[in-house]
Amino acid sequence: MPRPSLFRPTQRHPSLWSRPEERYPTYWVETLGSLPPTHGERWSAARGRTVRHFDPYRSKLAAAIARGWEGDLPAVGEHWLYLGAASGTTASFVADLVGPTGRVYAVERSLRPFGRLISAAERWPNLLPILADARRPREYVDWVPPVAGIYLDISQPDQVEILRENARFFLQDRGRALVALKASSIERGVPPAQHARRAAEALAVEFRVGAPLSLAPFHRAHYFLDLNRSPASSDSGPSARRSTRGSGSPGPRPR
Amino acid sequence: MAVALLLRAGPRLLIRDPGALGWEVLPWESGPSEEDPLPAGAIRILGRLSATTEIEVGSESLRRAVERLGRRARLAGSETIRRARATIPVPTDARERRFLIDLARARLEEALRDPDEVLIALAREEERVERALGRERNAALEFGRGGDPNVAAYAGRWARFRDLFEQHHRELSAELERAAQRVLPNLTQVVGFRAAARLLAQAGSRAALGRMRSARLQLLGSKRRPSPERGPKYGILYRGERMEDVPPARRGAYARSLAALAVIAARADVHTGRPVAPELKRRRDRRVESLRRGTRA
């Protein structure tokens, strides 16, 4: 029986709470949506707040936090474009983080999880579902305004290219991007870490890129990238080469 | 050269008329459809534009809407769109959310009416029902015959439920068979309707099925992780048509042959639509006979 006093607020985000458990702290996010929780995660309610467990095995963003990523989370009031929302597990957490004044535009192409995404959107006032292929941003350019950040979780070999194309249409000048790279869907037979490095290099033309963070043991062969669009990078690239030393990039823990 | 820019922003239309200063923001109320006629205010503004003014638009649907009015339009570049949208704050409100959810519903329903999607949905449902039915039957075997009258009465009600469930499964299978014959006529004849539908469901789409080679098709639906040392050898096709006529020791060989034939049938269904099944069935049956006789063919 969790007691509310065990939940501690974190410095990073007003909606993110932590709770020490047996071996490591767990993270919890105060929810905007109505219960029951989206996908059967643990939850706890007290004093008018309801928090949901941000399970690192379920969500790659949660895994990045659990692995010590210290970059900026989606902030209150921001608009985010979420590519590859599937049935909306992580998307609903991002919606919680941006709060009632923020928006999450969740793009998913596959029909079967999309039905569940719609029902999640019914319960989250700031989660907007879009049925479209993230490879073709023209299909949803009518509905998505410029955004402060893009979250990309698409297991496709051309995921880097997909991110670039969407950033051209939607990412604000100082926008950020969080990328969950699935190395095994790029090419087999190459060490996953090498894929992550290559992707980081490819993106360094337009973004300041933090060192790829391995999401093991929560997600095998997955890497998390934290990108910042540097102000000067919109036309000329050279200034963007200062890799890892960007603001708020995850420093330690390469792998 | 004068260029007018039209962008849709959810329930609003943004117009930059080169003859006027700044942007015009018009409400564009409509149902969940992308093929809406432009709002009256926009038609007025477009009518005022001189014939040499070029028109740029944000999306294909907007281009179609402008071209229906007899003006030519081209797509604006991504940078133009991003800059323009960044300069005009468009408030986000509950209407936008309602609109997007309705649009998502409408798109989903439309996509789900596609015959391929119907077949995939049926295939998954049939698989689920088949599994549930198997569980019920196994449980019934273990339930035994209790001497207690209450238990006996319960067992009777349960048996009636199983009969109904079996009937449901038969009806569902018949439906699946009809759908499979419509969507994948050749493949259905070669490997059977259940396997054909499951192959499509596992491949994800008709296009993906058409791209697959036989080695991949053979493993489709296997649950183990592929690996060069000891990966899976069989998948859905191991339950393909006529498998039970082959001696157990030769079933692996038959699965490979069946995969080779199935891939031809699948490509015919996806790309050419030619009826190749009779010939493939002959080859399949010849293979079964030779495997039964134990001779190589």
Side-chain angles (χ1 to χ4, degrees):
Chain A
M1 184 69 23
R3 273 180 297 130
S5 60
L6 291 174
F7 288 99
R8 302 210 183 100
T10 58
Q11 299 290 315
R12 316 176 62 164
H13 195 285
S15 296
L16 186 70
W17 299 69
S18 76
R19 193 173 93 181
E21 288 192 10
E22 279 167 36
R23 286 164 50 210
Y24 46 83
T26 53
Y27 289 92
W28 301 68
V29 178
E30 194 175 334
T31 182
L32 273 180
S34 50
L35 292 171
T38 36
H39 302 96
E41 63 269 19
R42 291 193 286 160
W43 59 277
S44 173
R47 292 189 206 143
R49 295 177 195 278
T50 304
V51 290
R52 294 189 295 146
H53 181 213
F54 203 11
D55 187 348
Y57 288 99
R58 285 286 191 81
S59 163
K60 280 152 218 158
L61 182 56
I65 296 173
R67 290 286 275 111
W69 170 66
E70 284 170 349
D72 298 333
L73 285 167
V76 173
E78 285 181 339
H79 289 191
W80 275 71
L81 174 61
Y82 193 119
L83 303 173
S87 46
T89 314
T90 308
S92 71
F93 281 102
V94 176
D96 287 340
L97 291 173
V98 300
T101 51
R103 292 258 150 155
V104 175
Y105 295 85
V107 176
E108 173 58 45
R109 183 184 74 163
S110 145
L111 304 177
R112 286 165 289 263
F114 194 75
R116 301 233 309 268
L117 180 60
I118 292 181
S119 51
E122 289 281 3
R123 296 192 282 127
W124 262 259
N126 56 351
L127 183 62
L128 304 165
I130 295 173
L131 181 64
D133 186 346
R135 284 199 187 87
R136 288 193 286 274
R138 285 268 180 207
E139 285 182 7
Y140 46 90
V141 73
D142 285 349
W143 324 116
V144 180
V147 293
I150 297 180
Y151 186 98
L152 179 105
D153 184 1
I154 295 181
S155 307
Q156 293 294 329
D158 53 347
Q159 43 201 349
V160 166
E161 203 36 58
I162 292 175
L163 175 67
R164 277 220 188 102
E165 187 64 9
N166 278 279
R168 270 179 218 130
F169 274 94
F170 302 111
L171 195 59
Q172 286 166 3
D173 285 338
R174 287 166 188 277
R176 303 173 274 144
L178 303 176
V179 181
L181 274 183
K182 184 180 173 189
S184 62
S185 67
I186 301 177
E187 190 189 340
R188 293 286 170 92
V190 177
Q194 196 176 329
H195 275 305
R197 268 201 309 280
R198 274 192 212 156
E201 276 167 27
L203 286 164
V205 181
E206 288 147 302
F207 296 95
R208 277 202 309 268
V209 187
L213 172 73
S214 162
L215 296 184
F218 305 112
H219 301 271
R220 280 217 277 166
H222 279 74
Y223 286 80
F224 193 76
L225 287 177
D226 176 4
L227 313 169
N228 274 285
R229 184 180 245 174
S230 40
S233 74
S234 47
D235 33 27
S236 65
S239 69
R241 281 253 94 182
R242 300 167 277 134
S243 268
T244 47
R245 299 283 162 257
S247 61
S249 301
R253 239 178 258 269
R255 197 121 180 276
Chain B
M1 198 188 315
V3 179
L5 184 57
L6 269 75
L7 300 175
R8 185 169 197 175
R12 287 179 187 78
L13 183 66
L14 316 175
I15 305 180
R16 190 175 64 199
D17 171 1
L21 281 176
W23 287 83
E24 190 88 40
V25 180
L26 301 168
W28 191 357
E29 292 286 351
S30 56
S33 156
E34 295 163 277
E35 300 300 329
D36 304 319
L38 293 172
I43 296 175
R44 241 188 341 268
I45 293 175
L46 285 179
R48 279 209 309 267
L49 295 178
S50 74
T52 57
T53 306
E54 291 186 21
I55 302 178
E56 286 197 339
V57 294
S59 64
E60 284 290 349
S61 62
L62 201 49
R63 175 158 81 175
R64 286 193 293 272
V66 172
E67 286 182 344
R68 277 198 294 273
L69 294 171
R71 292 293 300 241
R72 292 185 60 78
R74 59 160 194 259
L75 289 176
S78 54
E79 195 56 30
T80 313
I81 296 175
R82 192 174 68 88
R83 289 251 168 81
R85 294 281 316 254
T87 52
I88 8 170
V90 172
T92 48
D93 52 21
R95 281 211 321 267
E96 181 204 16
R97 169 169 181 263
R98 197 63 254 165
F99 177 87
L100 277 177
I101 290 181
D102 290 348
L103 178 70
R105 281 243 162 75
R107 275 192 182 178
L108 182 63
E109 269 166 28
E110 192 195 325
L112 287 177
R113 274 197 294 273
D114 176 32
D116 294 3
E117 286 300 329
V118 172
L119 180 56
I120 291 175
L122 281 174
R124 297 198 169 172
E125 182 62 10
E126 194 270 337
E127 205 172 342
R128 193 181 66 78
V129 170
E130 189 192 73
R131 250 200 325 270
L133 192 56
R135 257 201 313 273
E136 289 298 322
R137 282 183 185 138
N138 284 340
L141 290 179
E142 284 175 14
F143 195 70
R145 260 152 257 145
D148 185 76
N150 287 330
V151 172
Y154 171 73
R157 286 199 302 278
W158 189 23
R160 279 203 302 285
F161 160 74
R162 275 202 311 283
D163 287 344
L164 268 179
F165 201 23
E166 275 167 12
Q167 191 189 337
H168 169 64
H169 184 229
R170 275 194 299 278
E171 285 164 10
L172 187 61
S173 296
E175 183 105 359
L176 183 71
E177 184 166 10
R178 280 194 295 277
Q181 276 164 352
R182 264 198 312 275
V183 176
L184 302 166
N186 287 311
L187 189 60
T188 301
Q189 286 188 61
V190 175
V191 303
F193 71 91
R194 233 178 285 261
R198 286 179 190 182
L199 286 173
L200 177 66
Q202 195 69 38
S205 74
R206 154 184 288 268
L209 187 65
R211 275 196 302 275
M212 229 158 251
R213 52 202 136 175
S214 117
R216 185 86 185 77
L217 201 72
Q218 186 191 331
L219 295 186
L220 216 53
S222 60
K223 300 228 164 61
R224 264 179 20 217
R225 172 196 297 274
S227 106
E229 294 87 34
R230 44 181 301 284
K233 296 200 286 192
Y234 316 111
I236 293 164
L237 281 179
Y238 204 70
R239 309 217 161 280
E241 198 87 324
R242 297 215 64 189
M243 184 59 87
E244 64 275 24
D245 300 337
V246 177
R250 307 295 288 139
R251 287 189 178 171
Y254 179 62
R256 287 190 294 277
S257 312
L258 194 58
L261 299 174
V263 92
I264 300 172
R267 285 178 195 173
D269 285 331
V270 174
H271 299 295
T272 66
R274 235 176 298 160
V276 294
E279 164 64 16
L280 294 178
K281 265 170 86 172
R282 253 197 310 284
R283 281 161 65 180
R284 180 194 74 190
D285 295 341
R286 210 164 60 215
R287 181 73 174 137
V288 172
E289 289 316 310
S290 78
L291 287 171
R292 285 172 81 159
R293 284 198 310 272
T295 54
R296 305 248 159 214

